[in-house]
Amino acid sequence: MYDREMCRVEDRDKKKSKRFSIGTMGLKTLGVSRVEKLKIMANTRSPRMKLWLIRATTTVLLWTCFIQLTALGGSWGPRVLKGWPSCFTQDSHSATALDIKLLPSVPARVLPPKRVYKNNGYLMVSCNGGLNQMRSAICDMVAIARYLNVTLIVPELDKTSFWSDPSEFEDIFDVDHFITSLRDEVRVLKQLPPRLKKRVELGIVHTMPPVSWSDISYYHNQILPLIQKYKVVHLNRTDARLANNGQPLDLQKLRCRVNFGALRFTTQIEELGKRVVNLLRKNGPFLVLHLRYEMDMLAFSGCTQGCNTEEIEELTRMRYAYPWWKEKIINSDLKRKDGLCPLTPEETALTLQALDIDRDIQIYIAAGEIYGGKRRMDSLQNAYPKLVRKETLLGPNDLQYFQNHSSQMAALDYLVSLESDIFVPTYDGNMAKVVEGHRRFLGFKKTILLDRRLLVDLIDKYTSGVLNWDQFSISVKEVHQERMGNPTKRLVIPDRPKEEDYFYANPEECLQPSDDETFVD
């Protein structure tokens, strides 16, 4: 109604404007004698008449200008006129659309500003291993690209490992968030510029694995000259390629920023993870058990505790089938005593009971298929009847998309592990380490880090009758009193980097001090 009234007013104004325009033009065509008469008449008028004529003329001129500006409104009239409705045939929203284009969009305000730097070339990387092995490698590669002032191409994920997961980066991680959230540090592209992409497709690219546990100076001195020479360098192995310690503080913090901020899972994975957590929370607190008693781990490590003859032979054949698993002849008993084997389900049940974990707590199994199936899980199930998995909490339709995508399944377990009241890994593999570090970052959430070497010794003494239950339980508690995810210094061994503490398990440069911070050496 308001718009129609304004349009009527504007139409009347146009007609008035037209009449005034005609009258003015008529004055310009009057003869000289007529003008002279008007001047004489004006001179003979009283001062009051003169004042009236001035006011009338001024009013007419101002009103004419006002009408003309109203008609031109959206083009070059005063800004206040742009809010008035238009009666022309053009789109009534054009002025508003113009204003929207001139204003910055909301997302642009929250994005960090682009970092401007001279681009030294392009870095391509192919990650190897499972999800968390690749996750930490991606963090390293971002930091390396930043310090070499090169453009990083979105990393390629491993599709040839034991799991043969065909997932691309964007199937697991929010690729747009990854790119935009890091734009103030490093330029990340989804693919090479066309000319360089063509060269790579023709096989004209320098490919190499970098040296393990290297300092950032290695990349400045050895890798950067290659990038400058070839324009593109492809690193085909990226796990454990950057040293844990002795790196610039800004580099360490950037590794954390990528891990805890930029590497966000896809919306589909995030939403399903929240759903699983909500289902668990409805029934009270829950513990996540990363039970790494899976076929690939047992074959790789050569650990066969509790396996029958047929299973031992099957695991041995599998180990020989993968040439990149270099260790073939393995003494399982010796490895176990050295603490290099994942705990069996039976050993895990005894450990949780000795730590006084409530029998009625929900235990979410974050793992693939347990080797030996129900036979091996019976003891754990009897001790803790509320065992659940994602497959028991969700329907087949919920997980249909994730079938045959082990990394996406692992991403779901990762999210649930972060949210758990207690996290217990039975082996210190990549997931155990990365989740441990992430839980430290979230406020030193309770993570029970099992000392397997001491545990198996105590378990053997208990099962052989050397220790009674109370002695066994007290000893287990004492061993793990300071292994609950509390603040601790990262172990540094300059001459043996593979033996020192892993950066992503304890990124202490990025952690906020806790209220009761007590560092353990």
Side-chain angles (χ1 to χ4, degrees), residues 145-358:
R146 162 64 177 81
Y147 276 80
L148 299 186
N149 285 332
V150 299
T151 297
L152 177 69
I153 306 304
V154 169
E156 179 187 18
L157 303 188
D158 192 347
K159 302 177 183 61
T160 61
S161 66
F162 166 78
W163 301 277
S164 300
D165 188 339
S167 299
E168 301 289 353
F169 186 99
E170 59 269 23
D171 296 323
I172 300 173
F173 300 108
D174 184 336
V175 65
D176 293 324
H177 173 76
F178 176 74
I179 293 172
T180 56
S181 65
L182 294 170
R183 56 190 249 148
D184 61 330
E185 292 285 1
V186 63
R187 183 181 179 219
V188 182
L189 298 179
K190 292 183 180 180
Q191 56 184 356
L192 286 166
R195 181 177 60 85
L196 295 175
K197 184 181 178 183
K198 185 67 175 177
R199 286 176 53 189
V200 171
E201 289 172 349
L202 294 173
I204 308 173
V205 60
H206 186 77
T207 300
M208 62 175 290
V211 177
S212 301
W213 309 114
S214 295
D215 187 84
I216 191 64
S217 61
Y218 161 80
Y219 290 92
H220 274 292
N221 299 332
Q222 302 294 325
I223 305 300
L224 181 57
L226 294 174
I227 296 176
Q228 292 172 325
K229 177 180 179 180
Y230 296 104
K231 302 303 179 185
V232 182
V233 166
H234 174 219
L235 302 183
N236 58 6
R237 287 186 67 88
T238 56
D239 63 320
R241 302 295 145 162
L242 188 59
N244 293 307
N245 302 295
Q247 306 309 303
L249 180 60
D250 287 346
L251 184 146
Q252 301 289 62
K253 288 183 176 294
L254 179 56
R255 295 166 91 176
C256 293
R257 178 177 169 185
V258 182
N259 191 23
F260 305 134
L263 284 178
R264 186 168 69 190
F265 293 122
T266 63
T267 301
Q268 186 178 19
I269 294 174
E270 292 271 351
E271 289 179 351
L272 197 57
K274 290 177 183 176
R275 195 168 146 209
V276 172
V277 171
N278 290 336
L279 289 170
L280 289 165
R281 286 270 176 242
K282 286 180 181 179
N283 297 315
F286 67 97
L287 177 152
V288 167
L289 179 65
H290 184 44
L291 189 60
R292 195 68 170 93
Y293 201 77
E294 299 152 310
M295 186 176 184
D296 66 296
M297 173 51 63
L298 299 180
F300 172 75
S301 63
C303 297
T304 57
Q305 177 74 12
C307 295
N308 57 39
T309 304
E310 292 77 11
E311 290 171 337
I312 293 174
E313 291 175 355
E314 181 180 38
L315 294 173
T316 303
R317 285 195 302 271
M318 183 178 182
R319 184 164 65 252
Y320 276 89
Y322 289 88
W324 53 87
W325 292 355
K326 296 180 180 179
E327 194 176 11
K328 303 301 182 183
I329 302 174
I330 299 175
N331 186 324
S332 177
D333 291 336
L334 183 60
K335 262 209 162 185
R336 176 177 175 271
K337 288 179 180 179
D338 287 339
L340 301 176
C341 289
L343 292 186
T344 67
E346 298 88 352
E347 292 169 339
T348 302
L350 287 173
T351 301
L352 295 179
Q353 288 174 310
L355 289 169
D356 290 338
I357 299 298
D358 190 343

Side-chain angles (χ1 to χ4, degrees), residues 287-462:
L287 177 152
V288 167
L289 179 65
H290 184 44
L291 189 60
R292 195 68 170 93
Y293 201 77
E294 299 152 310
M295 186 176 184
D296 66 296
M297 173 51 63
L298 299 180
F300 172 75
S301 63
C303 297
T304 57
Q305 177 74 12
C307 295
N308 57 39
T309 304
E310 292 77 11
E311 290 171 337
I312 293 174
E313 291 175 355
E314 181 180 38
L315 294 173
T316 303
R317 285 195 302 271
M318 183 178 182
R319 184 164 65 252
Y320 276 89
Y322 289 88
W324 53 87
W325 292 355
K326 296 180 180 179
E327 194 176 11
K328 303 301 182 183
I329 302 174
I330 299 175
N331 186 324
S332 177
D333 291 336
L334 183 60
K335 262 209 162 185
R336 176 177 175 271
K337 288 179 180 179
D338 287 339
L340 301 176
C341 289
L343 292 186
T344 67
E346 298 88 352
E347 292 169 339
T348 302
L350 287 173
T351 301
L352 295 179
Q353 288 174 310
L355 289 169
D356 290 338
I357 299 298
D358 190 343
R359 170 180 169 82
D360 292 325
I361 195 171
Q362 300 172 97
I363 296 184
Y364 176 92
I365 305 295
E369 184 178 353
I370 302 303
Y371 193 63
K374 183 179 181 300
R375 176 178 66 86
R376 299 306 301 272
M377 290 294 289
D378 280 346
S379 58
L380 184 58
Q381 183 76 59
N382 292 335
Y384 293 94
K386 294 184 179 179
L387 290 183
V388 295
R389 305 172 63 97
K390 49 187 170 289
E391 292 85 358
T392 60
L393 291 170
L394 301 171
N397 292 336
D398 296 317
L399 293 172
Q400 182 178 3
Y401 178 81
F402 299 92
Q403 296 300 326
N404 302 317
H405 294 82
S406 60
S407 291
Q408 295 180 47
M409 287 286 202
L412 188 59
D413 283 342
Y414 186 96
L415 290 172
V416 180
S417 299
L418 290 184
E419 295 297 324
S420 63
D421 298 280
I422 307 173
F423 176 65
V424 183
T426 61
Y427 185 74
D428 56 353
N430 288 289
M431 177 169 174
K433 291 175 181 177
V434 178
V435 170
E436 174 194 345
H438 204 151
R439 287 173 66 86
R440 288 179 185 273
F441 180 78
L442 294 175
F444 299 98
K445 300 178 76 172
K446 190 172 183 178
T447 302
I448 303 179
L449 306 170
L450 301 179
D451 188 329
R452 294 185 306 282
R453 187 176 64 81
L454 292 178
L455 262 178
V456 296
D457 181 58
L458 290 172
I459 289 171
D460 288 346
K461 288 178 178 178
Y462 168 68

Side-chain angles (χ1 to χ4, degrees), residues 51-105:
L51 181 61
W52 183 88
L53 286 172
I54 291 170
R55 287 177 177 176
T57 304
T58 303
T59 300
V60 170
L61 290 173
L62 289 174
W63 187 249
T64 302
C65 291
F66 182 78
I67 297 302
Q68 295 296 328
L69 289 173
T70 301
L72 294 172
S75 301
W76 50 269
R79 291 179 66 87
V80 70
L81 299 177
K82 292 185 179 181
W84 285 39
S86 173
C87 299
F88 298 110
T89 56
Q90 66 186 30
D91 186 359
S92 62
H93 299 288
S94 60
T96 305
L98 180 62
D99 285 351
I100 291 174
K101 290 178 182 177
L102 293 175
L103 293 173
S105 60

